[in-house]
Amino acid sequence: MNKRVSYDIGCMKSLRKLPDRVALRFMDLMTKYMSDPSANGLNLETVEGSRDSSIKSLRVDQGYRAIAFEVGRDIMFVHVNEHDKAYRWAAGRRVKLDPETNRIRVIEEVDAVIEPVATPDTSAPRLFDEVTDARLRALGVPEEELTAVRQIPTIEALEDAEDRFDPLTYQILYAVAAGYADEEIQSLTGVGAEPDAEPPQPAVELTFGKLIETEQSRQTIFIPESEAELRRVFEEGLEGWRVFLHPEQRKIAYRDYNGPVLVRGGAGTGKTVVAMHRAKHLADQIKNDPTRSGQRVLLTTFTTSLAHDIEANLRTLCPDHLDARPPRIEVINLDRWVSQFLKRKSFAREVAFFGEARDRLDQVWKEVFDDHELPEGLSEPFVRAEWAQIVQAKGLTDQKGYLKTSRAGRGTPLDRKKRAALWDIFADYRARLISEGLAEPDDAYREATEILTAEAPNLPYAAVIVDEAQDMGEQAFRLIRAIVPETPAGDRNSLFIVGDAHQRIYGRRASMSGCGINVRGRSKRLRLNYRTTQEIRAWAVSVLEGVSVDDLDEGTDTLRGYVSLMRGATPELVGCRTEAEELDGLVAWVRALPPDQIRLSDIGVLCARRADADRVQATLRAADIETVMLQSGADDRSIPGVRITTMHRAKGLEFFAVAIPFLSEAAFPPQGALRAAVDPADREDIVMQYRSLLHVAATRAKKALRVSWSGTPTRLISDQTHSLG
């Protein structure tokens, strides 16, 4: 009988703590067995003294053992460690088939220990002293683990004891310790149905073989479908999101919707991860339905570098969908998609995305300004900003529309006479663009939308998934709606949009409903930060204190309830006398990071300007520290070296440790950006963008954050530096 081998998330976590040679040996055993089970049977041995007869051990090499549960045709690996440590870990473990949570759980039964009379300290508080057993049971903590729970003194001790608990139990305990309400914990863990959610489908019968296949079990148990998939998981190091999703994330990604969906959440809550799993889920449906052959999912984002990063990660998650011919998932940034589409449609004008064509736009504006007198009190930069932020952003094509449109957010008021005069300038500029054979990106979006609306071409897309939605404007979302329009048959699974206006770093904004995208009743919110520690998250949020942002629709958003369950060191805030001293301190900080825990490739130095990144690279190289300058391509972490890049490029990345230098009052925001402001409102908007940019940069750090400046710190962090030191 062929065995089915699976891996509990605890097995993957234990492997990452062991020497590479042990992990490679274990991987070799597993892949050989999967390729030919009959020839490479697993020699499983009974663990003497264990409470569960199904618990077995496997010899990895002379010094290491793997622990597994063998039940019928299933073998589930749960732990790998040194021989004695592995056997001690296994001694009290057993598999529990839990109908209440509809999943398989690996629990440790701890006998109540009666302490000697002479040593008890009854006054010593315990972490869960104020939490009743009844409440813990109702949330999903097994009776068998309550004794161990009662022995935990602090949150730090809970973190250290993670390996002792079933993964679901650990999630519940951490959420309780963080102060979550019961309803929130049930939502986060997937235990207990939400009012509008369908109840989980119970296993047909309560057997190991059936229960391991439930959605609930699959949140923490990985069953590889092929040797290639298993090898990819091991070789890529298995970051948790690649296979395992948190219940809150999985419920959003793996279900059907009757219309467009909007997913919001703070930095580190896994929005991009959910978007990638959503793409996989929809591509799986296409693959499994022969009548949908040739259909694909379009996953788009704002920048080329983000598209590269997402595609690289999807190659770990579901490479078969990318390599299929035609591919079932297409990853491309929206500018490039539009450019390719219009080229196929023989669009006669060159779209000025960047480079020489962008420079030609400046020349056209110069010619227009030479031929027109500006209304009193208005400047050339103001006119160009009015064109970009009002006329182009809203898709206005005639004077009547411009005279009536709202200019909310623009600081300088304009009466009807000034608007009419400005429209003459705008009309002349537009005519000259057409004459020169040029088009701005918003023109391209609008042209593509008109073609799609008029021709209804037979595009292959079954759905569009949008990442970093906060950085796209109205014309972009009108185009996205046109790529997959609502049909008489409905709007099922059409659009899946993720974003966070707190991370808006390009100044564009759009309302979903204003672009014909109805997300009412299908707006989801992620609140749990899986990336950063609570200390880093709190500091990054403090940068945005007092700032109001939109919810990507018609309302406002908040970071209320946005928390991290990990704890760590307080961000290091360092004031220096000179920039030379600041750079010397940066070198010392990199050298002080423990090399046995942090690879150079897991260290990021993020700068506001490319010139500053160049200075950092020169300094680190002079100190014989390897570096990699990240630009537009995907980041290959197998290449050693400290990652150096701009804050904008760092969007979508994460590092174990992050340094953000040059945050002095004179340098951040850069003076050139502030001088470009056309009025006080525009200046405040620029400052807000740099607040968001600093927030984004800080939340790239998982465990360590260093912020530095020379002289006086920027006012964006001055309140925080005073409060912390």
Side-chain angles (χ1 to χ4, degrees):
M1 178 175 62
N2 287 345
K3 294 287 186 178
R4 176 173 61 181
V5 180
S6 59
Y7 303 87
D8 181 79
I9 191 172
C11 177
M12 302 303 188
K13 288 181 177 179
S14 66
L15 272 176
R16 284 185 286 182
K17 299 176 182 178
L18 301 180
D20 288 345
R21 63 174 179 81
V22 178
L24 288 171
R25 171 61 179 159
F26 181 73
M27 177 187 74
D28 189 51
L29 285 172
M30 297 299 102
T31 51
K32 282 182 178 178
Y33 177 79
M34 193 161 191
S35 64
D36 189 357
S38 61
N40 297 284
L42 296 178
N43 185 22
L44 298 174
E45 302 174 356
T46 300
V47 176
E48 190 172 339
S50 66
R51 302 184 182 188
D52 189 329
S53 61
S54 65
I55 197 165
K56 309 290 183 181
S57 73
L58 172 72
R59 186 179 186 273
V60 179
D61 64 16
Q62 188 171 355
Y64 287 83
R65 296 292 185 273
I67 303 299
F69 286 92
E70 183 178 28
V71 183
R73 66 180 290 258
D74 282 290
I75 301 173
M76 181 175 72
F77 284 92
V78 293
H79 192 72
V80 184
N81 212 329
E82 295 174 29
H83 180 283
D84 292 349
K85 292 180 180 178
Y87 274 73
R88 283 198 300 271
W89 185 92
R93 294 308 197 287
R94 72 175 178 87
V95 161
K96 180 175 183 176
L97 307 184
D98 188 359
E100 295 299 321
T101 61
N102 205 35
R103 70 187 76 201
I104 288 174
R105 306 181 69 172
V106 179
I107 62 172
E108 180 185 25
E109 293 182 295
V110 179
D111 293 328
V113 177
I114 301 175
E115 299 181 29
V117 175
T119 59
D121 181 3
T122 56
S123 64
R126 301 287 175 171
L127 184 60
F128 298 103
D129 280 349
E130 303 301 318
V131 185
T132 66
D133 285 355
R135 182 186 174 200
L136 291 173
R137 288 192 205 97
L139 290 172
V141 176
E143 181 75 34
E144 299 90 336
E145 292 190 310
L146 289 175
T147 299
V149 170
R150 292 299 173 197
Q151 297 172 7
I152 301 170
T154 63
I155 189 73
E156 291 76 17
L158 174 61
E159 292 173 343
D160 292 340
E162 179 179 359
D163 288 347
R164 293 188 60 183
F165 294 104
D166 168 75
L168 176 60
T169 299
Y170 184 74
Q171 292 173 355
I172 294 167
L173 294 178
Y174 222 137
V176 170
Y180 275 57
D182 289 4
E183 295 78 9
E184 293 176 309
I185 296 172
Q186 290 169 339
S187 174
L188 291 171
T189 61
V191 177
E194 297 178 67
D196 61 344
E198 297 179 5
Q201 293 299 314
V204 176
E205 50 185 310
L206 197 64
T207 65
F208 189 100
K210 293 295 184 181
L211 206 55
I212 199 173
E213 297 173 350
T214 66
E215 276 297 305
Q216 290 74 26
S217 287
R218 293 296 290 268
Q219 289 164 8
T220 55
I221 298 172
F222 169 49
I223 305 176
E225 296 180 359
S226 66
E227 179 190 352
E229 183 181 18
L230 176 63
R231 185 168 289 278
R232 275 198 314 273
V233 166
F234 280 118
E235 289 178 348
E236 291 291 334
L238 188 66
E239 292 295 333
W241 58 261
R242 290 185 170 129
V243 175
F244 303 104
L245 280 181
H246 190 280
E248 182 186 28
Q249 297 171 325
R250 178 167 287 275
K251 285 194 295 183
I252 292 172
Y254 288 88
R255 57 164 290 187
D256 292 326
Y257 297 94
N258 290 324
V261 180
L262 175 63
V263 181
R264 295 176 290 120
T269 54
K271 296 181 299 299
T272 300
V273 175
V274 169
M276 290 189 292
H277 276 269
R278 180 66 178 172
K280 178 184 182 299
H281 173 60
L282 296 178
D284 287 343
Q285 292 181 342
I286 293 171
K287 179 181 178 180
N288 295 330
D289 186 348
T291 67
R292 300 180 64 187
S293 177
Q295 292 186 11
R296 69 180 71 169
V297 177
L298 176 63
L299 201 166
T300 190
T301 188
F302 184 63
T303 67
T304 302
S305 57
L306 276 170
H308 287 159
D309 292 336
I310 291 171
E311 183 170 8
N313 287 328
L314 279 171
R315 289 212 165 272
T316 297
L317 183 64
C318 51
D320 58 313
H321 292 319
L322 296 175
D323 295 336
R325 290 293 175 266
R328 287 183 287 272
I329 299 177
E330 177 184 345
V331 185
I332 188 171
N333 71 301
L334 197 60
D335 283 353
R336 188 177 177 195
W337 188 93
V338 168
S339 181
Q340 293 178 357
F341 175 78
L342 291 179
K343 187 175 182 179
R344 292 195 301 271
K345 293 297 180 180
S346 301
F347 184 54
R349 297 156 66 189
E350 179 183 2
V351 184
F353 289 116
F354 48 76
E356 183 181 340
R358 202 76 188 174
D359 295 337
R360 288 169 63 194
L361 296 184
D362 293 335
Q363 181 59 36
V364 173
W365 272 118
K366 183 179 183 303
E367 294 169 2
V368 169
F369 288 136
D370 286 344
D371 290 347
H372 290 268
E373 183 177 349
L374 298 183
E376 184 179 356
L378 303 184
S379 65
E380 292 180 4
F382 175 89
V383 174
R384 293 187 64 166
E386 182 77 4
W387 165 262
Q389 297 176 26
I390 301 298
V391 178
Q392 288 289 71
K394 295 179 178 294
L396 303 177
T397 57
D398 56 41
Q399 185 186 71
K400 181 179 179 181
Y402 178 57
L403 293 176
K404 289 184 174 182
T405 196
S406 167
R407 297 179 62 256
R410 297 284 286 153
T412 302
L414 297 176
D415 58 24
R416 187 178 181 86
K417 182 179 179 181
K418 285 183 177 179
R419 288 204 199 193
L422 285 177
W423 187 259
D424 290 341
I425 296 174
F426 298 149
D428 188 11
Y429 173 68
R430 180 170 277 157
R432 293 185 193 225
L433 284 186
I434 295 172
S435 176
E436 291 282 334
L438 289 173
E440 291 187 348
D442 278 333
D443 295 321
Y445 290 151
R446 192 161 47 250
E447 183 73 21
T449 302
E450 290 173 359
I451 292 173
L452 289 171
T453 303
E455 298 182 5
N458 188 26
L459 296 179
Y461 305 113
V464 178
I465 297 172
V466 183
D467 190 32
E468 304 296 351
Q470 73 278 353
D471 289 322
M472 296 185 181
E474 287 188 23
Q475 300 311 305
F477 276 106
R478 291 183 188 280
L479 171 61
I480 288 165
R481 176 74 279 189
I483 292 173
V484 182
E486 185 173 3
T487 68
D491 211 10
R492 184 178 174 84
N493 292 336
S494 58
L495 303 178
F496 191 87
I497 300 162
V498 304
D500 173 26
H502 297 91
Q503 298 181 69
R504 181 178 288 122
I505 58 178
Y506 290 102
R508 299 172 182 84
R509 47 179 53 85
S511 159
M512 295 299 105
S513 56
C515 299
I517 299 172
N518 179 15
V519 297
R520 301 285 167 79
R522 292 179 299 276
S523 183
K524 310 294 181 180
R525 190 156 175 255
L526 297 168
R527 294 171 297 172
L528 190 57
N529 183 322
Y530 304 93
R531 179 191 301 139
T532 64
T533 64
Q534 174 70 5
E535 289 76 9
I536 293 173
R537 183 210 62 79
W539 188 86
V541 169
S542 73
V543 173
L544 300 175
E545 189 172 352
V547 172
S548 176
V549 302
D550 60 271
D551 64 354
L552 307 181
D553 205 12
E554 299 291 344
T556 58
D557 198 7
T558 174
L559 290 175
R560 187 178 299 113
Y562 169 51
V563 298
S564 172
L565 295 184
M566 296 181 292
R567 303 306 296 260
T570 300
E572 185 180 349
L573 308 181
V574 183
C576 304
R577 288 169 294 183
T578 65
E579 288 190 348
E581 179 183 316
E582 190 176 353
L583 287 168
D584 288 343
L586 178 60
V587 170
W589 176 77
V590 171
R591 285 177 169 162
L593 293 171
D596 59 328
Q597 300 177 30
I598 307 175
R599 300 176 301 172
L600 287 180
S601 58
D602 286 328
I603 303 170
V605 182
L606 313 182
C607 303
R609 304 182 306 160
R610 173 62 64 183
D612 293 332
D614 292 338
R615 292 164 61 201
V616 168
Q617 183 174 47
T619 299
L620 293 182
R621 284 182 171 176
D624 292 326
I625 297 173
E626 291 181 287
T627 65
V628 173
M629 181 70 76
L630 296 183
Q631 298 189 42
S632 61
D635 180 14
D636 182 356
R637 292 289 171 95
S638 67
I639 301 173
V642 174
R643 269 41 183 176
I644 305 169
T645 191
T646 63
M647 296 181 186
H648 283 90
R649 171 62 186 91
K651 190 77 182 75
L653 300 178
E654 60 182 43
F655 303 93
F656 190 97
V658 166
I660 308 175
F662 307 128
L663 292 184
S664 68
E665 185 177 29
F668 193 85
Q671 293 302 305
L674 294 176
R675 284 195 296 270
V678 298
D679 55 31
D682 193 34
R683 180 186 176 91
E684 195 54 41
D685 193 49
I686 291 170
V687 170
M688 177 58 206
Q689 288 179 43
Y690 277 91
R691 283 190 184 276
S692 294
L693 188 61
L694 181 55
H695 172 79
V696 166
T699 52
R700 301 308 95 192
K702 294 198 284 188
K703 292 290 186 179
L705 174 64
R706 182 183 195 269
V707 173
S708 64
W709 63 90
S710 58
T712 304
T714 172
R715 67 185 179 94
L716 274 59
I717 67 168
S718 57
D719 290 343
Q720 287 72 46
T721 60
H722 292 154
S723 64
L724 292 176

